[in-house]
Amino acid sequence: MAKIAFIGLGNMGSGMCANLCEAGMEVSAYDLSPAARDTAADAGARVADSAEAAAQGAEMVITMLPAGSHVLDVYFDTGRVGRAAAAGALFIDCSTIAVEDARQAHRLAAEAGFSMLDAPVSGGVAAAQAGTLTFMVGGEAGDFARAEPVLAAMGGNIFHAGGAGNGQAAKIANNMLLGVSMIATCEAFNLAEKLGLDAQTFFDISSKASGQCWSMTSYCPAPGPVPTAPSNRDYQPGFSVAMMLKDLKLALGAAEGNAADADFGKAAEQAYQALADAGHGARDFSIPMLKLKGEL
Ligand code: NAD
């Protein structure tokens, strides 16, 4: 069994690390936060006092960090993971970061004699705890095969999206679609209500017609039709406005850098930016529904 280092034990990483331990894997873990380290120790990980110490002799290093700058720093700069890991180790970054940062990480890893996968996830904290995340993986096919049994201990669906950075590309394109579709779903429910249809009636029709989408059937922004949706608990996340905004900014940065028009993505970004600026960053990203109804 590969010796695994896990760095970044926050909302997502703590559950993922616990699932690796639960599957019987030997995990050495590190986070800047002492409380996060204690939680990992309780879950069965051996806790180290630096990223470098956690990675000492590791054959796989998994990271779950806030942004690309943290990832590059931990592997190749002050974190010194790239000096501590075993020769030929596989680095698996599960954070959501810019495609360009991911490709830079692949380049630096290859130069130093390591393998790298970008493996961002979809599913949120509940899926991280339950071990049902979806992984979108970019990198060499052989490295993907090597990582698959480890990813399977943390996730359900595991997709190989192609070469370096393609996992991040899949993630941000998907989440741009999600942001746009959520706002469009809110507008449709609001229009239907203004025209005299209650939310349940519109849901029953549209969920079986061509407007059907995940934002409607799994996460309905109007309270009622989907009991598990955040709209039924005062729009507590779920997936926050701040997180959607982060992913939209990554998507639009990539769109701009690659001459891909994304006018509706841009409109969604502006809408979520306005909500964040108004102090609603911590609420669920289905909250444009309240804004349209004049309740914000
Ligand atoms: P978080 O802020 O809860 O956790 C990040 C952890 O990284 C923190 O515990 C922090 O102390 C640690 N950290 C930061 N710099 C470090 C360093 N140099 N060395 C060691 N530890 C360090 O964030 P999260 O919600 O767990 O998200 C992690 C990543 O997963 C992000 O990239 C996010 O976009 C992505 N993501 C989050 C969700 C979600 O629902 N929370 C869903 C999908 C993807």
Side-chain angles (χ1 to χ4, degrees):
M1 189 79 67
K3 192 172 172 229
I4 299 173
F6 200 114
I7 299 161
L9 305 162
N11 291 319
M12 297 292 288
S14 57
M16 295 163 71
C17 180
N19 283 323
L20 293 179
C21 296
E22 175 81 26
M25 297 184 194
E26 191 191 329
V27 185
S28 178
Y30 176 71
D31 191 288
L32 292 175
S33 150
R37 296 201 293 270
D38 289 348
T39 305
D42 290 345
R46 188 177 67 78
V47 165
D49 60 8
S50 69
E52 183 180 9
Q56 201 63 51
E59 296 151 86
M60 285 191 194
V61 181
I62 302 175
T63 39
M64 196 51 168
L65 295 162
S69 56
H70 304 86
V71 172
L72 292 168
D73 182 60
V74 162
Y75 281 118
F76 308 112
D77 200 352
T78 62
R80 300 168 69 91
V81 164
R83 291 169 187 237
L90 174 59
F91 296 166
I92 307 173
D93 177 43
C94 299
S95 329
T96 302
I97 69 173
V99 176
E100 269 320 304
D101 286 342
R103 291 185 173 150
Q104 170 76 347
H106 277 264
R107 279 191 290 273
L108 292 171
E111 278 169 28
F114 298 109
S115 298
M116 175 104 212
L117 295 170
D118 52 292
V121 302
S122 172
V125 175
Q129 286 170 352
T132 57
L133 291 166
T134 293
F135 285 92
M136 307 162 219
V137 186
E140 299 286 334
D143 296 328
F144 177 73
R146 193 171 153 199
E148 232 179 337
V150 173
L151 299 181
M154 302 183 282
N157 295 310
I158 303 165
F159 295 103
H160 187 209
N166 280 22
Q168 298 293 350
K171 164 89 187 179
I172 57 168
N174 179 76
N175 278 21
M176 185 175 80
L177 173 59
L178 177 63
V180 172
S181 81
M182 177 53 81
I183 292 176
T185 303
C186 292
E187 290 183 354
F189 272 89
N190 188 52
L191 175 64
E193 191 182 320
K194 295 247 192 250
L195 296 174
L197 279 82
D198 63 42
Q200 187 65 54
T201 305
F202 179 63
F203 178 89
D204 290 345
I205 296 167
S206 192
S207 65
K208 297 286 182 291
S210 48
Q212 185 274 337
C213 64
W214 187 92
S215 294
M216 176 186 294
T217 53
S218 295
Y219 220 82
C220 187
V226 176
T228 51
S231 54
N232 297 296
R233 45 173 203 268
D234 195 27
Y235 297 87
Q236 294 309 305
F239 187 56
S240 70
V241 165
M243 287 195 163
M244 175 49 80
L245 188 55
K246 171 190 170 179
D247 292 355
L248 284 168
K249 286 184 186 301
L250 290 175
L252 289 163
E256 205 174 294
N258 291 276
D261 284 344
D263 293 347
F264 287 83
K266 181 81 195 154
E269 185 226 8
Q270 287 169 350
Y272 283 113
Q273 183 70 64
L275 287 164
D277 291 346
H280 303 298
R283 297 186 80 184
D284 189 74
F285 86 114
S286 52
I287 206 173
M289 191 77 245
L290 288 187
K291 175 91 175 143
L292 287 165
K293 290 168 83 176
E295 292 175 17
L296 271 190

